Amino acid sequence: MKILVADDSSTVRRVVSARLSADGHDVVEAEDGEQALTLARDLQPALIVLDKVMPKLDGFEVVRALREDPKTKGLVIVMLTDRRGEDDVLDGLGLGVDEYMPKPFSPRELSMRVDRALARRGDG
Amino acid sequence: MDSVRYVDAALIVVVLALLVALVTVRVRAQRRRTRLAVARERFETLIAARLVGGEGVPAPPPADLSALERGALRDAGIDALVELRGRERERVAALLEEGGVVDAEAQALRSAGPDRRRRAADVLGLIASPATHEPLRAALEDRDVRVRLAAARGLAELGQVDDEWSTTLIADAAAYEHRLGAVAELVLALGARAPARLASVYFNSGSSEVRRIVVAVIGELRLGQHVGILREALDGDDELAARAARGLGLVGDVESTESLLAVVRDPGRSWFVRAAASTALGQLGDPAAVDALAAELRAGEWPRRRAAAEALARLGPAGKAVLRSTAGLETEAGRHAVAALDA
Amino acid sequence: MKIYLALTVAYFVAFAIVHTGLLLLAWRQLRRAARVASVTALRRTVRSPLAPPISIIVPAYNEEAGIVDSVRSLLALDYPSTEVVVLSDGSTDGTVEQMIEAFDLRPAHRPTPPFLDHRPVRGVYVPRGRLKLILIDKENGGKADSMNAGTNFARFPLVCFIDADSILEQDALVKAAIPFVEDPLRTIASGGVIRIANGCRISRGRVVEKNLPRSPLAMFQVVEYLRAFLAARTGWSAVNGLLIISGAFGLFRKDAVIAADGFSTDTMGEDMELVVRIHRTMRELGREYRIVYVPDPVCWTEAPESVNNLRGQRRRWQQGTLETLWAHRRMLFNPRYRAAGLLSMPSMLIFEVIGPIIELGGYAVSIVAALTGVISVGTFLAFLALAFLYGMVLSLGAVVLEDTAFGRNPRWSDLRRILLYSVAENLGYRQVTHLWKLEAFWRLWRGGGWGTMERKGLSREVQDSLASEVGMR
C-alpha cells in the first residue's frame, strides 16, 4: 500500500521508510506539515504516519485539515508523539487519529500497528 | 576635538574587520554544512538499513572516517537512539560501536575542556552498550562535577548502579547546589532503571533537597515499592511532607488515609502541606475523610478550602452531600463547593 | 561649545565601550549555550516528568480576529504539561463568543483566588471536553490588570505571559523552561527573543515561512532589535542585571509574581517595572536568584509599520522606562542591588534617558559650531562620522553575533539587506527614535505627575518553589 511518512527528523523518516518498505509498502516522505498535506492530497496514500511536532503545520492541524477535506477524509492516520499522558491520546482520537504511537518507539511495533490499522479500516 | 579623526579611523578599521569576519565565517560554515549534510544522509541510510537488515549491513571502518564524518555518524546515531526503543536500539548502538564512535568518545573523555568531556559522557550514556561501561566508570572520577554527573546518569540508565557511589555522588552533586536539575535527572534515571537504589539514596543523603527529589520521583513514577519512604517522609519538614502527601495520592496508598487525616487536622502544619494532604485524600477515595475535609472547607487559607472542596467531590455520595449542603450558603466555602460540584 | 562637543564624543566612546562589553559577554554566553544545548537535552526536558507545568496567560482585548487560532496553536505546543488561561479584558467585540464557539465552552462557577487584586470577573468558562483551557471574562482594566487576574487563576507553578497576537515557535516554551529545570532553586524568570513577523507567511497560528519584512520601517526595527535586544539583553543577563522581560513572551515563577504583588497598573512599562521590582524584592529578602534571557526560544510579533504607530510605541516604552527608573530610584548606584542597581539601571539611565539628549544636543551644537567657525568643517564631518560609526559598529557586531550563533539568515540576499539597513538605521532612524524618547520625557514632565508612587519592595513572603507548587495546584 502507499504510505506517507511525515516527520521533521530525517533519521526517523529514514528508519520508518526502511521498515515499511521492507514490509512491502510504497513509501513517500514529507518533512513538514505543509508538505504532508500537499502530498496527501496529491498522492492519496492509504495511510499516513505523522509526527505530532513539525514545522510549518503541526500534526494535529494536519489531521484536522485531512479530515475536513473530502478527498482525504478516509485516510488512516497513525500519529507519533513525544508527549506522555492519556489526555493527548484522547484528544488525538477525538480528532480522528486511528492509532497513536508514543516515542520512543520500536519500528517493528510501528510496523505491526500500521498493519493493524490498515486491516481495521479494510473491514470497517 | 581633532583627535576625533583617529577615533573614526579606528572604528572604520573595526567595521571592515567585522565585515571580513562575517563573510569568512559564513562561507566556511556553509561549506561545512554541505559536507556534514552529505555525511549525515549517508549514515542515516546506513542506520535505517541496519535496523531492517541486521548484522548483514556492515559499518564503515573507523579508520576511513574523518573527524567530521565520525561526528555525523555519532549525531545520526544519537538521533536514532533518542527516538527508538527495544532491540532496535541495541542494533544502532552496535553500529556506533563498530564505526568507532564509542572509542572516539571514550578518547574525548580525556580531553581538556569540561564541556567536551561532559558531552562525551552524555553520548556514551545514551549509547548504553556494554562497551560504554568502562569509560563511564572511569569518568566517575573526573575532576569536574558535571562530567561525573553525566557519567553517573549514563550508568544509571544502564542499570549499573551500586549503593556506594550513587549516594556519595548525589550528595557531592547536591553540595554543588546549582546542579540540582542534574541531580534530579540522575535520581530520575535511578528511579526508572534501578528503583531499588532510591531507598539507599534517600536514607544516606544528607541533603534535604535530594530527599525531596527522591520523594517527588517516587510519586511521579508511581513506585509503589517505596511507599514506606513516602509514609516516613510525611513526618518530615513541611516541604518534604507536602511532596510525600502528593506522592501517596498518586501511588494510591489507601493505608495512609489515617496519617493523611492527621496532617489535615494538624494546626501546626503549613497550609500547603494540609492542602496537599486533602488533595491526596481525594485521590484515595476513602469516605472516612469526609468529616475532616468538611471542616477544611472553612479553613483560613484559600488553597486549603479549594483542595478540600475538590477532594470532597471525589469521595462519593457522602462527600457530594456535604458539598451540596454547603453550596447553598453565600460564603467562601459555599463558592468553593459550587465550583467543585460543577467541575 | 567645544567642551560640549568633547563631552558628546566622550559619551559616544563610553556607549561604544559598554555595549561592546555587553556584546562580548553575549558572545561568550552564546558559545557556551551552543556547546551545552543539544536536541537530546531538549527532548529529555520535554519527556521528563519533573519538567514544571506551565500556565500560559493570554490577556486579550478585542481580539476576535485571531484569538482562536492563537489559542489553538498554544494548546498544541510541544511541552509536557500546560494550560491556557485566556482573559478577555472587557472586550466589546466577539472575542468571548468566538472562544465559546470554537472550543465548546460552558459557563462555570469558579471563585476568584485572592492572591492578587484586579478588576472584577464577570464570568468563567471551561471546555466541555478535555482541553486544558479556561476563559475569564472580566471588566476592563488594562493589560497589567489582566495579567494579574491570569496569575490568580493559574493552576501551575510557572506562568508564561504572552500577547494575544504573539506566535510562539513549537519549542519556545521548552527552551524558556530549561533554566528552571537546570537551576530550580534560583531561577525566577526567563525571557526569550522577540522576532519580527512582518513579511513572514503565517498560517493557522504558526509561522510557516520566515522572510524579512518588505516595509523599510519594519526592516529598521529588525536591525534595531538585533542590536538592542539580542546583544544587550543576553549580555546583561550574564551578570544577572537583566531589567526587562518582554510582555510579549516571558516565563515567571508564579509565587515570585505574587510575592512582588503582581504587575503595576499605573505605569506604561509594567513588564520592566515588575522585573526591576523582583530584583529589588529578592535583594531585600537576601535571597539568591537569577533572571535569565535565553537567546534561543523564539516568539514572533507584528511590528508597527506606520510611523505614527511606531512613534506611539516608542513613546510608551520610554515612558515606562522613565516611570520605572523613577519609582525605583533608590536602587540606582546602590551596591545593595548589585548588578541591577550598579550596572544596568545606571546604564539605562545614562544611555537611554540622558544619552538621547546629549546626542541630539551634540548635533545641534556641532552645526552651530561649524557655522560659526568654532570648529572646522573637517572636524564637523569627523564628528558626524563618529556619530554614525559608533552605532554602526554595534549594529554590525550584533549581526555577526546572530549570524555566527544561530545562522538564521541563510540567504545571502537577506544578509545584504540586513547590512544595508544597518547602515541606514544609523543614518537617521536611530536619531529619530531619540527624538521620540525626548517627546516622552517632555510629556511626562508637562503632565505633572509621574504616575507611580515609590513602591515598597517587600510585601509577602516568597514561598519555596516546592511549597507553592504543591499548595497551589
Side-chain angles (χ1 to χ4, degrees):
Chain A
M1 310 236 74
K2 204 182 312 181
I3 296 185
L4 175 61
V5 175
D7 192 312
D8 54 338
S9 159
S10 53
T11 316
V12 170
R13 280 200 310 271
R14 241 170 268 271
V15 165
V16 173
S17 291
R19 178 78 251 161
L20 296 176
S21 298
D23 287 346
H25 299 292
D26 180 17
V27 183
V28 180
E29 295 180 19
E31 53 183 41
D32 59 65
E34 229 183 20
Q35 204 182 23
L37 213 49
T38 317
L39 287 174
R41 288 188 179 128
D42 292 341
L43 301 175
Q44 308 265 319
L47 179 143
I48 177 170
V49 177
L50 188 60
D51 190 19
K52 186 189 170 303
V53 176
M54 285 186 294
K56 302 204 178 176
L57 274 184
D58 63 58
F60 280 155
E61 284 299 327
V62 174
V63 173
R64 191 175 282 122
L66 289 173
R67 292 301 186 216
E68 281 169 9
D69 184 339
K71 277 202 287 188
T72 51
K73 226 169 36 174
L75 190 45
V76 180
I77 299 179
V78 176
M79 185 175 276
L80 300 170
T81 173
D82 260 356
R83 287 211 223 169
R84 47 186 269 280
E86 302 97 311
D87 293 351
D88 290 278
V89 185
L90 289 166
D91 280 354
L93 291 176
L95 272 176
V97 171
D98 295 275
E99 279 273 356
Y100 171 91
M101 182 94 218
K103 288 192 187 176
F105 69 101
S106 154
R108 267 175 336 137
E109 193 184 332
L110 178 64
S111 158
M112 289 192 308
R113 293 213 189 184
V114 163
D115 290 336
R116 195 167 67 195
L118 282 170
R120 262 212 308 269
R121 269 314 184 92
D123 294 338
Chain B
M1 271 304 297
D2 296 318
S3 52
V4 175
R5 291 164 220 263
Y6 298 120
V7 181
D8 282 345
L11 287 179
I12 290 176
V13 168
V14 173
V15 166
L16 290 174
L18 283 174
L19 280 172
V20 169
L22 182 60
V23 172
T24 339
V25 168
R26 264 179 86 97
V27 167
R28 265 215 310 245
Q30 245 163 8
R31 266 193 227 134
R32 192 165 187 277
R33 252 201 307 270
T34 330
R35 284 203 317 265
L36 209 56
V38 168
R40 183 72 192 236
E41 192 176 325
R42 173 182 161 205
F43 295 130
E44 281 173 359
T45 315
L46 182 61
I47 289 173
R50 170 69 83 107
L51 283 176
V52 175
E55 271 82 49
V57 178
D64 288 359
L65 297 177
S66 69
L68 184 85
E69 286 172 323
R70 206 173 3 251
L73 176 57
R74 176 196 65 218
D75 290 339
I78 287 177
D79 268 2
L81 287 172
V82 165
E83 305 282 7
L84 298 179
R85 217 181 42 192
R87 260 219 321 220
E88 274 104 339
R89 214 175 173 282
E90 290 166 19
R91 290 192 185 175
V92 177
L95 182 67
L96 292 178
E97 215 176 305
E98 290 161 34
V101 171
V102 173
D103 287 334
E105 294 301 310
Q107 188 85 301
L109 276 177
R110 287 191 281 273
S111 73
D115 284 325
R116 182 71 189 91
R117 295 203 301 274
R118 186 153 49 112
R119 213 169 39 160
D122 266 343
V123 171
L124 290 172
L126 205 53
I127 293 176
S129 72
T132 57
H133 292 189
E134 265 318 301
L136 283 176
R137 266 195 202 285
L140 283 182
E141 319 256 329
D142 193 283
R143 55 190 179 279
D144 185 299
V145 68
R146 288 172 296 171
V147 179
R148 295 199 294 270
L149 272 178
R153 187 174 52 235
L155 284 166
E157 295 279 352
L158 283 169
Q160 296 284 319
V161 172
D162 65 58
D163 288 331
E164 195 202 312
W165 70 250
S166 70
T167 51
T168 48
L169 192 68
I170 288 174
D172 165 31
Y176 179 39
E177 252 185 82
H178 310 321
R179 304 311 304 161
L180 207 54
V183 174
E185 279 193 73
L186 181 54
V187 172
L188 197 63
L190 282 171
R193 299 309 176 97
R197 301 300 175 195
L198 287 182
S200 68
V201 172
Y202 179 82
F203 290 112
N204 296 330
S205 171
S207 156
S208 54
E209 269 96 34
V210 172
R211 278 202 290 278
R212 252 184 270 167
I213 293 175
V214 171
V215 166
V217 169
I218 293 173
E220 297 294 336
L221 296 181
R222 282 131 169 108
L223 299 172
Q225 77 258 52
H226 290 305
V227 72
I229 292 181
L230 295 181
R231 290 180 191 155
E232 198 202 283
L234 209 53
D235 292 329
D237 65 73
D238 284 339
E239 316 292 356
L240 190 62
R243 279 286 193 196
R246 180 173 152 76
L248 286 167
L250 289 170
V251 163
D253 181 36
V254 197
E255 299 191 12
S256 298
T257 306
E258 272 311 311
S259 332
L260 288 168
L261 277 173
V263 171
V264 172
R265 292 193 194 111
D266 184 350
R269 297 283 214 160
S270 320
W271 59 265
F272 53 89
V273 192
R274 297 168 82 176
S278 296
T279 307
L281 285 167
Q283 283 171 304
L284 294 178
D286 188 342
V290 171
D291 289 332
L293 291 174
E296 279 292 284
L297 275 181
R298 281 169 274 281
E301 291 93 350
W302 197 92
R304 276 171 63 198
R305 298 198 290 270
R306 177 167 75 178
E310 287 174 352
L312 280 167
R314 304 173 75 157
L315 290 184
K320 294 221 170 71
V322 170
L323 288 176
R324 273 193 292 268
S325 66
T326 321
L329 308 172
E330 269 301 305
T331 58
E332 268 294 307
R335 281 191 276 277
H336 282 288
V338 170
L341 285 169
D342 185 42
Chain C
M1 271 192 278
K2 266 199 174 182
I3 301 176
Y4 185 87
L5 288 177
L7 176 69
T8 312
V9 169
Y11 164 76
F12 288 158
V13 173
F15 189 104
I17 292 177
V18 169
H19 284 78
T20 308
L22 283 176
L23 209 90
L24 291 172
L25 270 177
W27 171 259
R28 204 186 59 170
Q29 246 352 45
L30 290 179
R31 300 280 293 175
R32 194 186 295 163
R35 273 199 299 262
V36 165
S38 64
V39 186
T40 40
L42 287 182
R43 285 218 188 86
R44 249 210 307 265
T45 310
V46 171
R47 296 211 190 118
S48 162
L50 294 180
I54 298 179
S55 294
I56 305 176
I57 297 175
V58 190
Y61 179 71
N62 287 356
E63 296 280 347
E64 66 180 355
I67 189 70
V68 171
D69 267 348
S70 230
V71 173
R72 206 174 261 151
S73 74
L74 289 174
L75 286 168
L77 281 178
D78 190 22
Y79 194 80
S81 182
T82 59
E83 67 163 353
V84 179
V85 181
V86 180
L87 295 112
S88 167
D89 191 28
S91 296
T92 53
D93 69 355
T95 304
V96 174
E97 288 76 26
Q98 293 268 351
M99 287 286 299
I100 291 178
E101 155 112 36
F103 297 103
D104 197 18
L105 305 179
R106 62 168 180 88
H109 297 278
R110 293 273 184 277
T112 303
F115 311 119
L116 294 174
D117 293 326
H118 53 82
R119 306 285 296 140
V121 169
R122 298 197 289 222
V124 178
Y125 301 87
V126 298
R128 277 180 243 269
R130 294 182 63 121
L131 292 174
K132 290 217 184 129
L133 172 64
I134 182 169
L135 170 66
I136 296 164
D137 183 20
K138 62 181 269 289
E139 284 179 21
N140 180 268
K143 188 169 165 205
D145 192 74
S146 301
M147 291 195 284
N148 288 340
T151 307
N152 262 351
F153 280 92
R155 292 186 74 104
F156 294 146
L158 290 187
V159 287
C160 174
F161 299 106
I162 70 164
D163 281 345
D165 53 9
S166 308
I167 299 175
L168 291 185
E169 298 224 320
Q170 270 287 1
D171 53 10
L173 217 49
V174 184
K175 289 176 176 169
I178 284 184
F180 290 93
V181 171
E182 291 197 330
D183 198 354
L185 291 182
R186 293 189 312 164
T187 310
I188 297 277
S190 76
V193 168
I194 313 292
R195 292 189 73 192
I196 292 182
N198 306 36
C200 294
R201 190 156 60 87
I202 296 172
S203 157
R204 298 178 102 118
R206 291 249 177 268
V207 169
V208 167
E209 205 178 272
K210 300 174 191 173
N211 296 318
L212 289 178
R214 270 189 242 288
S215 134
L217 207 59
M219 271 304 301
F220 282 133
Q221 291 174 73
V222 167
V223 173
E224 189 190 13
Y225 277 35
L226 277 181
R227 179 171 47 81
F229 294 176
L230 179 67
R233 288 190 186 175
T234 313
W236 284 129
S237 164
V239 294
N240 203 18
L242 185 63
L243 293 181
I244 175 167
I245 286 181
S246 173
F249 179 44
L251 192 54
F252 290 79
R253 261 179 52 175
K254 190 175 69 177
D255 58 358
V257 175
I258 291 175
D261 243 340
F263 289 93
S264 159
T265 43
D266 43 27
T267 170
M268 283 279 161
E270 68 272 337
D271 40 14
M272 179 177 173
E273 201 274 329
L274 178 63
V275 175
V276 171
R277 186 144 38 86
I278 289 179
H279 275 286
R280 180 172 173 176
T281 311
M282 291 294 137
R283 291 274 176 230
E284 286 173 4
L285 280 174
R287 260 186 72 129
E288 274 227 55
Y289 74 103
R290 39 173 222 151
I291 297 181
V292 182
Y293 185 75
V294 189
D296 206 15
V298 178
C299 167
W300 297 88
T301 190
E302 288 279 328
E305 275 186 6
S306 85
V307 176
N308 276 333
N309 287 345
L310 182 61
R311 184 178 181 191
Q313 186 199 61
R314 292 317 161 91
R315 277 208 309 248
R316 276 196 315 273
W317 286 3
Q318 186 71 349
Q319 193 173 335
T321 305
L322 293 168
E323 285 170 342
T324 304
L325 286 175
W326 178 254
H328 298 284
R329 57 190 181 280
R330 70 161 57 199
M331 289 171 69
L332 283 166
F333 300 108
N334 186 336
R336 187 172 185 199
Y337 302 100
R338 313 271 185 83
L342 289 175
L343 297 175
S344 48
M345 282 179 79
S347 166
M348 184 139 266
L349 179 68
I350 296 171
F351 298 124
E352 300 291 321
V353 178
I354 301 175
I357 302 174
I358 296 180
E359 183 166 346
L360 290 178
Y363 295 133
V365 170
S366 68
I367 291 177
V368 171
L371 287 175
T372 57
V374 172
I375 56 170
S376 69
V377 176
T379 312
F380 171 66
L381 289 175
F383 177 79
L384 285 187
L386 181 63
F388 165 73
L389 281 170
Y390 91 93
M392 187 65 207
V393 165
L394 293 172
S395 294
L396 203 50
V399 172
V400 173
L401 184 69
E402 210 232 14
D403 208 69
T404 50
F406 300 119
R408 281 203 257 255
N409 301 299
R411 298 191 284 254
W412 284 93
S413 58
D414 278 353
L415 183 67
R416 260 202 318 267
R417 198 137 184 261
I418 287 185
L419 288 175
L420 226 69
Y421 273 92
S422 301
V423 172
E425 197 239 341
N426 285 295
L427 276 179
Y429 171 82
R430 185 164 53 86
Q431 287 77 359
V432 174
T433 60
H434 285 337
L435 203 59
W436 292 336
K437 286 179 187 165
L438 282 192
E439 271 191 74
F441 193 85
W442 181 244
R443 278 178 151 214
L444 215 50
W445 191 263
R446 283 256 311 265
W450 287 93
T452 32
M453 305 174 308
E454 165 106 356
R455 296 193 126 248
K456 290 195 258 294
L458 287 172
S459 59
R460 287 183 226 209
E461 235 183 273
V462 178
Q463 303 275 313
D464 193 278
S465 65
L466 295 182
S468 71
E469 191 180 328
V470 172
M472 291 184 188
R473 253 190 231 270

